[in-house]
């Protein structure tokens, strides 16, 4: 392996994905870098301009020009951060969210068309080769917070949510198959009938694999959303993934006009309860119950979305 080998591969791959003419590739007036900035704004709750610059390793002046372009097009709003007025908070407008969703859809179609040229029997080899490249060039370093992406679910992800919830809750809390049935019904209801403008699932991805998830769905009460199925894989804990997932739900629910956000959990989930408290949720009721083969204490939590949150700034 020589430097020239790697440079040749880089030229080949950038040509394959259309990086040099990304706007024409997606039929949209945005470069690859601009599209990546929109992606980060749509998927990461850390939306300060300084965070964007650090995560994407962009020159401050270049990022400023991109954000100016987005602001003129009505895609973003810039305000002072609640946590630190010296920092600039960047958020997508409804038009910006629609644009980011459209770009994501076209990117998926483009990659899908590329993948379709690979015989099904060869795809595991391709996946393993990509994983090998990422592993070797990461120099064996452990996962970092900035390596974790929040994204929309892909085919197979909803099934993963059911399987991993069942396996982890059995291993960590002794839940029986009743819990897997409950999760399967929740996920099936979402898959069969949900409003994409008011309900959403986030998948946290690290190194090409899902490591966490959460769901925001409409509740029976008026103007109320419900947070469901928050999960982070044990080997991915400590990277702030749970905090990002909860922030994503809170920001989404507030952004689409919900007034209240509720959730139900059990007091044995101590880490999750501390996370909810940090985001401003308040315990409103609790009741002992026998479920999933265990004696538990169920808890209802509530967040008033008309008030600013303490976490996430």
């Amino acid at each position: 392996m020589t430097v020239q080998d790697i440079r040749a591969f880089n030229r080949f791959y950038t040509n394959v994905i259309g990086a040099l003419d990304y706007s024409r590739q997606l039929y949209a007036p945005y470069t690859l870098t601009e599209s990546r900035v929109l992606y980060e704004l749509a998927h990461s709750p850390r939306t300060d301009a300084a965070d964007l610059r650090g995560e994407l390793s962009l020159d401050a002046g270049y990022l400023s020009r991109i954000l100016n372009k987005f602001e003129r097009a009505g895609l973003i709003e810039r305000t002072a951060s609640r946590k630190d007025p010296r920092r600039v908070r960047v958020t997508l407008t409804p038009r910006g969210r629609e644009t980011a969703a459209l770009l994501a859809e076209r990117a998926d179609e483009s990659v899908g068309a590329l993948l379709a040229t690979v015989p099904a029997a060869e795809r595991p080899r391709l996946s393993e080769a990509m994983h090998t490249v990422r592993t070797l060039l990461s120099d064996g370093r452990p996962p970092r917070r900035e390596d974790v992406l929040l994204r929309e679910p892909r085919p197979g992800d909803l099934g993963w949510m059911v399987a991993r919830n069942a396996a982890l809750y059995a291993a960590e809390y002794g839940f029986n198959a009743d819990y897997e049935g409950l999760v399967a019904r929740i996920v099936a209801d979402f898959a069969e009938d949900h409003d994409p403008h008011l309900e959403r699932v986030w998948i946290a991805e690290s190194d090409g694999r899902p490591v966490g998830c959460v769901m925001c769905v409409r509740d029976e009460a008026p103007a109320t959303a419900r947070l469901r199925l928050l999960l982070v894989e044990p080997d991915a804990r400590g990277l702030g993934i749970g905090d990002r997932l909860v922030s994503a739900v809170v920001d989404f629910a507030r952004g689409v006009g919900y007034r209240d956000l509720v959730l139900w959990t059990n007091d044995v989930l101590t880490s999750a309860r501390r996370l909810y408290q940090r985001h401003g949720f308040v315990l409103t009721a609790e009741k002992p119950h026998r479920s999933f083969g265990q004696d538990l204490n169920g808890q209802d939590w509530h967040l008033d979305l008309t008030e600013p949150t303490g976490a996430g700034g």
Side-chain angles (χ1 to χ4, degrees), residues 136-174:
L136 292 177
L137 295 185
S138 68
D139 196 26
R141 60 169 172 74
R144 301 174 301 175
R145 291 173 183 260
E146 53 266 37
D147 294 331
V148 179
L149 301 176
L150 300 192
R151 59 169 175 79
E152 299 280 348
R154 297 170 183 158
D157 283 333
L158 296 184
W160 173 86
M161 290 175 65
V162 176
R164 293 310 296 155
N165 266 277
L168 285 181
Y169 278 78
E172 298 185 350
Y173 303 104

Side-chain angles (χ1 to χ4, degrees), residues 3 31 48 58 71 83 90 125 146 165-166 173 271 300 309:
V3 170
T31 66
D48 283 358
L58 290 177
E71 193 167 38
K83 292 176 63 177
V90 185
R125 285 184 59 208
E146 53 266 37
N165 266 277
Y173 303 104
S271 296
D300 291 297
T309 61

Side-chain angles (χ1 to χ4, degrees), residues 35-47 52 55-56 92 146 148-149 244:
S35 298
R36 179 61 189 275
V37 171
L38 277 174
Y39 178 91
E40 291 297 327
L41 288 171
H43 291 82
S44 174
R46 295 184 298 171
T47 51
L52 277 174
E55 289 173 12
L56 299 179
L92 290 178
E146 53 266 37
V148 179
L149 301 176
R244 289 181 60 184

Side-chain angles (χ1 to χ4, degrees), residues 244-304:
R244 289 181 60 184
L245 289 168
V246 173
S247 291
V249 173
V250 172
D251 290 346
F252 171 78
R254 180 177 285 117
V256 298
Y258 287 112
R259 296 180 61 84
D260 299 282
L261 181 60
V262 298
L263 64 91
W264 179 82
T265 188
N266 290 284
D267 65 357
V268 293
L269 280 71
T270 54
S271 296
R273 290 190 296 110
R274 287 196 293 267
L275 179 58
Y276 300 141
Q277 286 177 306
R278 288 202 302 272
H279 281 267
F281 282 86
V282 176
L283 178 65
T284 58
E286 53 186 333
K287 181 180 179 180
H289 64 105
R290 176 76 182 178
S291 301
F292 320 129
Q294 303 292 324
D295 292 317
L296 301 166
N297 188 42
Q299 297 182 333
D300 291 297
W301 292 76
H302 169 261
L303 175 64
D304 183 351

Side-chain angles (χ1 to χ4, degrees), residues 183-243:
V183 176
R185 287 191 295 274
I186 292 171
V187 171
D189 287 345
F190 177 89
E192 293 171 1
D193 181 23
H194 73 278
D195 184 340
H197 299 293
L198 297 175
E199 299 174 291
R200 189 170 171 185
V201 166
W202 291 262
I203 299 293
E205 180 182 290
S206 176
D207 196 24
R209 69 182 182 96
V211 294
C213 61
V214 74
M215 175 183 289
C216 180
V217 297
R218 284 179 293 179
D219 192 62
E220 295 177 356
T224 301
R226 180 169 291 273
L227 184 154
R228 309 198 82 164
L229 303 184
L230 175 67
L231 175 143
V232 178
E233 290 281 10
D235 63 352
R237 293 170 187 170
L239 299 176
I241 295 173
D243 182 74

